[in-house]
DNA sequence: GTAGCCTGATTGTCGGACAATCATACGATC
DNA sequence: GATCGTATGATTGTCCGACAATCAGGCTAC
């Protein structure tokens, strides 16, 4: 018979401190906006050195649970910003050698339903920001950098218009990856800009009429266009992004 | 005329050091598995104190870019693990007061297409792990905790079977939120367990036959069942999860 | 070949230190 | 009265030096 022991794991102090503070935040004992005590005070309470507290704070800070309000010294509890979280996700995907195809396939699956839901749930304000994004792409698309950014921004507006945080957040990393994907393609396909513009207008129009079916359909074509773009630009879909 | 100045921002040293190391990793100059120099050496190279380096390392560590191989002191470059990233995302969503409805709606949009793609791309190995997950749920569903975990695990297998990292990673945070959602419902609905079991079997069977259409359809019913569960358990869909 | 021991390297933690910045209150000036 | 300048204390960012615990590798004895 074999005697087995569980692996004993020594958790360093800075991690325990971070976990203790994180738990208080997650349980909402420390509400958003609450100011954290100064480092010396935290060190006293936890019975550790200030250096240890500081290492813990860096961990929480990079996780978005703490932030420093501009022009303030004390840390305040914060809800992780969607953009910051999305950056981590897209960074992780990039390091995992995600391919053009994977991103395109995900867009194919996500965006048409998003457009459908957005068409149903959009408010007047959403419509305005969509129209504004559409307009910006039409105006400033000469510069490659601005063009890809505005193209992604249009999707972001659609995501917000779904009024579903889960959907909006799930979309963000995709858009982070869409930008570099589009960057290498858009200038090689002369008609790309006008196709994007046309698609945005159609989608916007469908949203205005709250025509969910049409919004979905035009979005599906919009995404299919991207794939055609890669083929025209002669970019292999199975090579990794950036 | 108004003279305007750009906001001048003082970036603390630990953040600069973290950014410098992160850039090297992102550019793949430091490949995965590469061992980072010891802290004293890094301090010497950057011309800062070891404490400053340590704060930077904590930041990178919590972002998943660095990790310590078990039983080793030196940090090694690592690709952020999907699970770790997903934890951050679901934590963020929880803090943003995400509701049952939002999670359910996202599942409704994501899972049926995932099942369809998985049915097409699944390998024999995927099929095995799906069958195993199915079996585990059937065997160990008396304990609430195990039941919800195994239910989520089945979805995870479907996600992996798509062979698309973007889809698999996008699904993870959803499953983190599915668990607490299911936890409060499953014991209030007597038929929940048998319904889940039946759905899993149908989906598994469709995958075995590579019948994408059927896989999608059964998955759609599976998700619809969840909603019915909430209604039967008398849980308001617009209240936030845990 | 394995177990034990030694040595150097490295991390985790500590204590103390100081300049720069922020918050606040108090006067001085217009 | 409003604005400015200054003084004061609190807080962070950074540094230095220190030490125990742990890890890696080599050496020895059996």
């Amino acid at each position: 018979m074999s005697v087995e022991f569980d692996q004993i794991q020594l958790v360093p102090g800075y991690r325990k401190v971070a976990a203790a503070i994180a738990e208080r935040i997650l349980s909402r004992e420390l509400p958003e906006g609450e100011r954290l005590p100064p480092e010396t005070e935290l060190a006293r309470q936890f019975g550790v050195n200030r250096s240890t507290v500081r290492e813990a704070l860096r961990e929480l800070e990079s996780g978005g649970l703490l932030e420093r309000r501009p022009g303030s010294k004390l840390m305040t509890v914060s809800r992780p910003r969607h953009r910051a979280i999305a950056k981590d996700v897209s960074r992780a995907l990039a390091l995992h050698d995600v391919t053009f195809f994977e991103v395109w396939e995900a867009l194919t699956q996500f965006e048409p339903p998003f457009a459908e839901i957005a068409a149903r749930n959009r408010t007047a304000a959403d419509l305005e920001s969509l129209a504004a994004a559409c307009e910006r792409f039409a105006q400033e698309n000469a510069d490659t950098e601005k063009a890809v950014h505005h193209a992604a921004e249009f999707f972001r507006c659609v995501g917000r218009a779904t009024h579903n945080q889960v959907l909006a957040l799930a979309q963000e990393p995709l858009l982070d990856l869409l930008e570099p994907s589009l960057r290498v393609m858009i200038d090689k396909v002369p008609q790309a800009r006008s196709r994007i513009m046309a698609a945005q207008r159609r989608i916007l129009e469908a949203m205005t009429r709250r025509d969910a079916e049409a919004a979905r359909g035009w979005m599906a074509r919009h995404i299919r266009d991207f794939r055609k773009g890669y083929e025209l630009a002669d970019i292999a879909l199975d090579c990794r992004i950036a």
Side-chain angles (χ1 to χ4, degrees), chain A:
Chain A
M1 105 174 253
S2 72
V3 182
E4 292 248 357
F5 288 102
D6 285 343
Q7 194 163 3
I8 175 168
Q9 52 206 2
L10 313 170
V11 181
Y14 60 83
R15 212 179 287 249
K16 283 187 187 169
V17 171
I21 298 177
E23 199 217 319
R24 289 280 194 101
I25 297 177
L26 269 292
S27 73
R28 294 166 197 263
E29 236 171 298
L30 292 174
E32 191 197 354
E34 180 86 359
R35 286 200 305 202
L36 218 61
E39 296 170 354
T40 48
E41 173 61 15
L42 287 173
R44 196 191 59 73
Q45 288 186 29
F46 284 108
V48 299
N49 192 272
R50 188 162 80 100
S51 310
T52 306
V53 169
R54 283 180 65 82
E55 292 188 36
L57 293 184
R58 291 299 85 78
E59 207 164 308
L60 296 168
E61 195 184 18
S62 90
L65 258 45
L66 294 180
E67 70 175 357
R68 207 183 310 282
R69 295 273 169 81
S72 168
K73 276 190 178 295
L74 279 78
M75 291 279 212
T76 60
V77 175
S78 74
R79 302 194 279 190
R81 316 238 163 271
H82 282 192
R83 291 295 310 128
I85 291 286
K87 272 279 170 234
D88 287 348
V89 179
S90 55
R91 196 172 66 175
L93 284 169
L95 278 174
H96 278 279
D97 298 329
V98 67
T99 64
F100 287 111
F101 177 78
E102 285 174 300
V103 171
W104 176 81
E105 185 176 45
L107 287 170
T108 304
Q109 300 304 322
F110 290 178
E111 297 302 335
F114 286 10
E116 185 178 340
I117 295 173
R120 278 198 289 268
N121 298 349
R122 63 120 187 122
T123 62
D126 293 325
L127 218 52
E128 261 181 59
S129 65
L130 272 164
C134 197
E135 189 62 27
R136 269 197 300 278
F137 182 86
Q139 296 293 325
E140 302 187 316
N141 68 29
D143 180 32
T144 308
E145 215 48 49
K146 289 204 168 141
V148 299
H149 181 258
H150 291 146
E153 202 57 41
F154 182 81
F155 286 108
R156 246 175 223 118
C157 293
V158 174
R160 271 195 299 272
T162 63
H163 292 270
N164 180 327
Q165 301 180 67
V166 181
L167 301 182
L169 183 49
Q171 189 194 32
E172 282 291 339
L174 236 68
L175 301 183
D176 285 340
L177 294 168
L178 172 65
E179 292 200 24
S181 311
L182 200 50
R183 194 175 298 133
V184 299
M185 177 264 273
I186 196 169
D187 288 326
K188 292 187 184 171
V189 183
Q191 65 271 38
R193 286 172 168 81
S194 64
R195 301 279 300 186
I196 292 174
M197 234 183 301
Q200 288 184 350
R201 294 229 168 96
R202 297 281 198 175
I203 294 165
L204 174 60
E205 190 202 4
M207 298 248 180
T208 307
R209 298 197 320 269
R210 288 198 189 281
D211 185 341
E213 221 23 74
R216 182 187 186 112
W218 287 112
M219 181 61 93
R221 289 189 207 196
H222 188 23
I223 303 295
R224 265 202 298 275
D225 266 2
F226 282 127
R227 170 144 191 179
K228 246 181 257 163
Y230 290 115
E231 285 162 6
L232 288 171
D234 216 22
I235 296 172
L237 280 172
D238 63 347
C239 80
R240 76 154 205 263
I241 299 174

